Amino acid sequence: MPLFLLGLALGAISGGVTYGLSGDGQLAGIVTAAAAVLTWLGLATLLIVDD
C-alpha cells in the first residue's frame, strides 16, 4: 500500500508541476500517469532485484 500511495503522490506532484508550467491539462494527465506507473515499476524492480 505505501508503494501505491508513493506512486500516486509523485504522479500528482509531477502532473501539477507540468500543468503549472504548460497549462495543458491533457499533457499533465499523461505525465501524472507515466510518473505513477514508472514509480511503481521502478520500486518493484528494486524489490525483485534485491531478492
Side-chain angles (χ1 to χ4, degrees):
M1 186 68 169
L3 294 178
F4 179 74
L5 294 176
L6 178 64
L8 287 180
L10 291 176
I13 291 168
S14 298
V17 169
T18 301
Y19 184 74
L21 293 175
S22 70
D24 185 4
Q26 188 172 12
L27 176 63
I30 292 169
V31 169
T32 299
V37 169
L38 289 175
T39 299
W40 295 327
L41 291 177
L43 290 172
T45 301
L46 288 175
L47 291 174
I48 291 170
V49 171
D50 190 37
D51 285 341

